[in-house]
């Protein structure tokens, strides 16, 4: 907001709404709304004009009076991954990747937390926080991931029990899972994250997966997020994730 010599990083000064979205406060549009609602201040002065630029190093930005951490603040978001898209940040063969779907978020440092198969849709988490990302996929923390699997045929009680209690796969026994079956859709909550695990579990009971969709990752729910869209995690969602890592 002050006039000053340009920051050595040419990305600065930064539009205030871009700064807010980069700091993980809200999406770009959400940040603009916060500004027009008079909830954003720069150096103690409420700023409603959307064109204003700030220097994240020297200007103090607050939302509802609470200081926003400058670029150092980690950013986490969730994507509703469509099928046919690879969980990778670049593909030498030019196939569609999740990187293309989150490019407009404007954080090159985002990386996916774990992965979903090309043919699987649903909740895929991204973060710029290396430690958080590492822990969320570490077997030690064992977060539940919930999938809806449309399967071929109708599994009987014994098959459902096998899924639930643990079953032998080529890379060892699976851990107990939460299972629910209704009208062709198996809902499975598993703590592990082995390669193609849900598909292999369903294959092993003789009911191959025809369609697979992840609805939950630990305490996070995909909700109504549209396919191919992403959104920032709310601060309380990040807190819930962190709490989950502490409790287990
Ligand atoms: N299990 C699978 O089989 N595929 C996924 O993408 C995720 C879990």
């Amino acid at each position: 907001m002050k006039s000053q010599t340009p920051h050595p990083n040419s990305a600065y000064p930064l539009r205030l709404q871009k700064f807010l979205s980069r700091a993980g406060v809200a999406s770009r549009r959400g940040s603009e709304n916060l500004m027009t609602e008079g909830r954003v201040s720069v150096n103690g002065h409420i700023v409603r004009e959307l064109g204003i630029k700030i220097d994240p190093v020297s200007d103090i930005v607050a939302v509802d009076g609470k200081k926003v951490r400058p670029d150092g603040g980690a950013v986490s978001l969730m994507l509703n991954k469509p099928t046919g898209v690879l969980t990778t940040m670049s593909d030498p063969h030019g196939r569609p990747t999740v990187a293309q779907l989150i490019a407009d978020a404007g954080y090159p440092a985002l990386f996916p937390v774990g992965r979903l198969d090309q043919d699987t849709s649903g909740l895929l988490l991204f973060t710029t926080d290396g430690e958080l990302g590492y822990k969320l996929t570490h077997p030690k923390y064992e977060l539940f991931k919930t999938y809806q699997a449309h399967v071929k045929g109708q599994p009987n009680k014994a098959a459902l029990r096998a899924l639930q209690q643990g079953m032998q796969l080529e890379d060892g026994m699976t851990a107990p899972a939460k299972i629910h079956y209704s009208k062709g859709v198996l809902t499975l909550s598993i703590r592990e994250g082995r390669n193609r695990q849900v598909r292999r579990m369903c294959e092993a009971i003789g009911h191959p997966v025809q369609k697979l969709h992840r609805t939950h990752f630990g305490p996070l729910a995909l909700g109504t997020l549209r396919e191919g869209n992403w959104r920032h995690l709310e601060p309380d969602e990040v807190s819930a994730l962190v709490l989950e890592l502490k409790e287990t």
Side-chain angles (χ1 to χ4, degrees):
M1 199 143 112
K2 301 168 211 149
S3 85
Q4 55 209 172
T5 46
H7 192 279
N9 180 338
S10 60
Y12 301 149
L14 206 61
R15 273 177 182 263
L16 182 51
Q17 58 266 44
K18 192 165 182 180
F19 167 85
L20 289 168
S21 69
R22 284 202 178 170
V25 171
S27 66
R28 195 77 66 85
R29 175 66 64 83
S31 300
E32 289 175 358
N33 290 342
L34 288 174
M35 290 169 66
T36 51
E37 284 162 17
R39 295 170 61 187
V40 181
S41 67
V42 179
N43 303 326
H45 302 286
I46 297 289
V47 172
R48 288 189 157 90
E49 305 89 303
L50 298 180
I52 253 164
K53 292 185 172 179
I54 57 121
D55 183 334
V57 176
S58 59
D59 288 324
I60 295 174
V61 178
V63 175
D64 295 335
K66 258 177 67 185
K67 190 180 165 192
V68 177
R69 284 189 301 159
D71 274 0
V75 174
S76 301
L77 55 88
M78 69 165 75
L79 168 74
N80 185 350
K81 180 185 125 26
T83 55
V85 176
L86 294 175
T87 305
T88 177
M89 295 311 280
S90 72
D91 180 55
H93 304 293
R95 291 169 295 182
T97 68
V98 292
Q100 292 153 356
L101 296 175
I102 59 155
D104 60 331
Y107 305 98
L110 281 169
F111 64 90
V113 176
R115 60 183 292 283
L116 290 176
D117 297 337
Q118 187 173 6
D119 294 344
T120 304
S121 58
L123 199 170
L124 184 63
L125 195 61
F126 290 78
T127 185
T128 58
D129 183 334
E131 189 183 341
L132 180 67
Y134 171 78
K135 284 186 173 172
L136 288 172
T137 51
H138 197 288
K140 175 177 154 192
Y141 295 102
E142 299 184 324
L143 262 77
F144 270 113
K145 276 83 62 182
T146 303
Y147 299 87
Q148 286 188 341
H150 292 248
V151 294
K152 199 166 171 204
Q154 189 169 337
N156 60 21
K157 281 194 178 143
L160 296 178
R161 203 174 313 118
L163 290 174
Q164 189 199 333
Q165 291 179 344
M167 59 198 302
Q168 189 65 41
L169 295 179
E170 61 189 20
D171 52 356
M173 286 293 286
T174 61
K178 295 181 193 169
I179 304 293
H180 178 77
Y181 176 79
S182 174
K183 299 186 184 118
V185 182
L186 253 178
T187 304
L188 302 94
S189 290
I190 60 171
R191 288 183 180 273
E192 300 161 292
R194 299 192 223 162
N195 192 29
R196 298 182 75 81
Q197 179 166 348
V198 173
R199 291 177 197 278
R200 289 191 291 133
M201 287 168 74
C202 295
E203 184 85 47
I205 56 161
H207 297 280
V209 167
Q210 294 173 317
K211 210 168 119 191
L212 189 59
H213 180 72
R214 181 156 74 187
T215 57
H216 292 78
F217 186 100
L220 306 182
L222 191 58
T224 55
L225 184 64
R226 297 234 302 270
E227 196 171 276
N229 286 6
W230 62 267
R231 68 165 177 82
H232 284 283
L233 296 194
E234 300 293 338
D236 59 348
E237 290 180 309
V238 177
S239 306
L241 271 182
V242 171
L243 210 65
E244 194 89 357
L245 296 175
K246 286 196 175 132
E247 278 176 357
T248 49

